[in-house]
Amino acid sequence: MAWDFETDPEFQKKLDWIEDFMREEVEPLSHLGMAVYSSLGREKFIKPLQQKVRDQGLWACHLGPELGGQGYGQLKLALMNEKLGRNSLAPSVFGCQAPDSGNAEIIAHYGTDKQKDQYLWPLLNGEIRSAFSMSEPTGGSDPLTFTTRAVLDGKEWVINGEKWFSTNARYSKVLVLYAVTDPDAKDPYRRTSIFLVPTDTPGVEIIRNVGVGAGGEIGGGNEGYVRYNNVRLPYDALLGERGAAFVIAQVRLGGGRVHHAMRTVGACRHALDLMCRRAASRSTRDGRLADLQLVQADLADSWIALQSFRLMVLHTAWLIDKHQDYQMVRKDIAAIKVMTPKVYHDIATKAAHLHGALGVSNEMPFMHMVTSALVMGIADGPTEVHKVTLAKQILKDYAPDNDLFPAYHIPKLREAAQKRFRTELGELRVAYERQKATEKA
């Protein structure tokens, strides 16, 4: 029986290295602000750390060896991402930052040799950034509502439309664009195709860069509101088959949803750790916060929620490794996607509250965490959609009862049991009557 909660000793050494590296090297850099993210800053601060990660054989571990990664399964990735998730700089250092990691994955799977040379290898080497240009300002991420069109004009595609929340579009060299190519296709999920669009193509207009959360200057964010004005592309700008966008998206989003959950485990653990440190350190007139029962209840609830969430994520990762088929694990992926924003929000909110006024200030990370939790309830499909998916998957195993009273109605069950054990009940009745007769004699 293979059922083990222990980590392989050799891989545990890798996890221990990541733990020390995060604490000593990555987390201090995250407090330097934008100085780290400029082109000069990346050369000075990020690239040396990336080389250390490469030297440890931990670069882009979600990719196979042929692409410079380790080809780790989802379970190992889950244990790694749990540590990376506590700091937003870590994915860039380890070569698995969104949206580049997902974009590189689908280019690796579906791209031509020319597309790989032009975009895949520079993405994997951290030389360029990319953006995922799918959602629209009218219908969000529902592919059946997309209005952006790509029309063939001779040997060129002409693209018109608007996209919303194309993360990092302002920094990108290539936009992974979803556009309707076959609006009359009988199968509605075969109407959309994917294109690789150089960001500097004439007609690509970034209307504004939307920020996430409160504060900050309007237009100073990283979420691109992009307009495509008669953008002309060669036919071979198509990624994969024409009409295959939905299928390709599932490859990208299935893994992406799991990785979001993995990193959120780490973020939740970080919030709980700060919560415990506050409780152990802060005193009121009635003593330490840690000695107050309502605080203890919040700590207990948070720990239970985190452990339940973590085990659910690890189990889902194990199932993906076992089946090697995201479709067979749809139910579990949907479940952890539903859990992700709720658990994160609940723990981050409790942590902020325990810190009082300091907790809601910009001098602590909690308000960013709460905003991130809300984002997790929207990114890669809203919570409501995943609840519907989960419910449908659960109900597939059940058939309807068409009688007035259900099959599990207790009188029905009693009648069936009496019929099944009629002989034994008769024997018991005879034996009981004999016993009574003996007692009277």
Side-chain angles (χ1 to χ4, degrees):
M1 176 178 175
W3 188 257
D4 197 345
F5 287 94
E6 290 186 338
T7 304
D8 173 78
E10 286 303 311
F11 187 64
Q12 184 60 52
K13 292 178 183 178
K14 297 285 189 183
L15 295 176
D16 293 341
W17 183 87
I18 294 172
E19 177 73 27
D20 294 339
F21 182 69
M22 287 287 298
R23 183 178 59 253
E24 301 296 330
E25 304 272 10
V26 178
E27 291 175 3
L29 276 188
S30 66
H31 298 296
L32 296 182
M34 291 306 297
V36 176
Y37 294 96
S38 66
S39 57
L40 291 177
R42 289 183 66 83
E43 287 289 332
K44 189 171 187 64
F45 296 116
I46 303 296
K47 287 203 170 180
L49 296 190
Q50 289 176 334
Q51 187 57 51
K52 291 183 179 181
V53 170
R54 291 177 190 273
D55 293 342
Q56 289 291 322
L58 292 170
W59 175 260
C61 289
H62 60 293
L63 298 174
E66 72 282 2
L67 298 176
Q70 296 297 313
Y72 281 168
Q74 295 296 329
L75 188 55
K76 283 187 174 181
L77 290 174
L79 294 169
M80 277 185 63
N81 276 289
E82 181 180 359
K83 297 188 179 299
L84 305 188
R86 68 178 190 236
N87 191 279
S88 60
L89 187 61
S92 294
V93 173
F94 282 78
C96 56
Q97 72 278 5
D100 295 333
S101 58
N103 290 341
E105 188 172 359
I106 59 174
I107 294 173
H109 274 92
Y110 298 98
T112 63
D113 290 341
K114 179 182 176 182
Q115 289 171 334
K116 291 177 183 178
D117 289 340
Q118 191 172 1
Y119 301 118
L120 177 59
W121 307 118
L123 277 173
L124 296 181
N125 292 329
E127 298 168 2
I128 65 171
R129 300 299 306 273
S130 63
F132 190 57
S133 199
M134 182 183 75
S135 297
E136 297 191 352
T138 51
S141 59
D142 182 353
L144 301 188
T145 67
F146 289 170
T147 59
T148 298
R149 288 291 309 275
V151 179
L152 266 180
D153 181 17
K155 295 183 178 180
E156 289 187 321
W157 295 99
V158 181
I159 299 174
N160 285 280
E162 293 184 353
K163 293 294 180 176
W164 178 245
F165 263 57
S166 297
T167 305
N168 289 333
R170 66 191 301 184
Y171 306 115
S172 69
K173 291 293 184 182
V174 61
L175 299 154
V176 179
L177 170 68
Y178 284 59
V180 176
T181 52
D182 301 273
D184 299 321
K186 186 175 181 181
D187 181 351
Y189 293 100
R190 296 287 302 180
R191 294 172 182 170
T192 306
S193 303
I194 298 180
F195 297 87
L196 299 181
V197 184
T199 309
D200 60 2
T201 303
V204 174
E205 175 192 0
I206 298 179
I207 300 172
R208 67 175 179 271
N209 296 293
V210 182
V212 174
E217 182 181 352
I218 298 295
N222 295 324
E223 307 298 331
Y225 179 13
V226 185
R227 179 178 292 143
Y228 296 86
N229 300 294
N230 290 316
V231 174
R232 302 189 76 90
L233 299 173
Y235 188 87
D236 61 6
L238 197 66
L239 178 66
E241 295 180 3
R242 179 171 176 170
F246 185 78
V247 174
I248 296 174
Q250 298 314 301
V251 172
R252 185 189 189 281
L253 295 174
R257 288 162 182 155
V258 178
H259 296 165
H260 277 318
M262 294 170 178
R263 290 173 189 163
T264 301
V265 170
C268 290
R269 187 175 296 282
H270 181 49
L272 180 57
D273 176 57
L274 299 182
M275 191 177 173
C276 291
R277 290 166 67 179
R278 179 70 167 185
S281 306
R282 185 76 164 181
S283 294
T284 68
R285 70 177 70 176
D286 297 317
R288 293 187 315 155
L289 291 178
D291 296 325
L292 303 178
Q293 288 184 336
L294 282 176
V295 173
Q296 292 170 350
D298 280 348
L299 289 171
D301 287 342
S302 297
W303 188 89
I304 291 168
L306 173 57
Q307 285 298 101
S308 302
F309 177 43
R310 180 176 187 263
L311 289 173
M312 186 77 170
V313 172
L314 291 173
H315 181 243
T316 301
W318 177 81
L319 286 172
I320 295 171
D321 287 348
K322 177 183 177 181
H323 296 296
Q324 294 295 308
D325 184 350
Y326 285 114
Q327 290 299 311
M328 293 183 67
V329 197
R330 283 186 69 195
K331 177 170 61 178
D332 306 88
I333 293 174
I336 61 173
K337 184 63 173 64
V338 170
M339 291 180 76
T340 295
K342 176 170 175 51
V343 175
Y344 195 6
H345 177 273
D346 290 351
I347 295 176
T349 302
K350 287 182 173 68
H353 187 72
L354 196 63
H355 283 76
L358 181 63
V360 297
S361 74
N362 62 0
E363 297 180 358
M364 296 299 283
F366 304 117
M367 298 314 294
H368 173 72
M369 289 179 169
V370 171
T371 300
S372 295
L374 294 173
V375 171
M376 287 296 101
I378 299 169
D380 292 345
T383 295
E384 293 84 353
V385 170
H386 293 291
K387 284 186 175 181
V388 170
T389 297
L390 176 57
K392 287 181 177 178
Q393 292 293 311
I394 293 170
L395 290 170
K396 281 169 61 176
D397 296 330
Y398 293 87
D401 287 324
N402 294 318
D403 291 340
L404 177 61
F405 295 102
Y408 48 85
H409 189 220
I410 291 176
K412 277 188 177 183
L413 297 175
R414 181 185 294 123
E415 182 182 352
Q418 290 172 345
K419 184 176 180 180
R420 175 180 175 182
F421 298 105
R422 180 170 48 208
T423 301
E424 290 85 352
L425 289 172
E427 292 170 351
L428 280 176
R429 192 176 298 109
V430 171
Y432 179 65
E433 290 173 353
R434 287 175 180 170
Q435 183 179 0
K436 283 178 65 176
T438 302
E439 289 173 353
K440 285 182 180 180

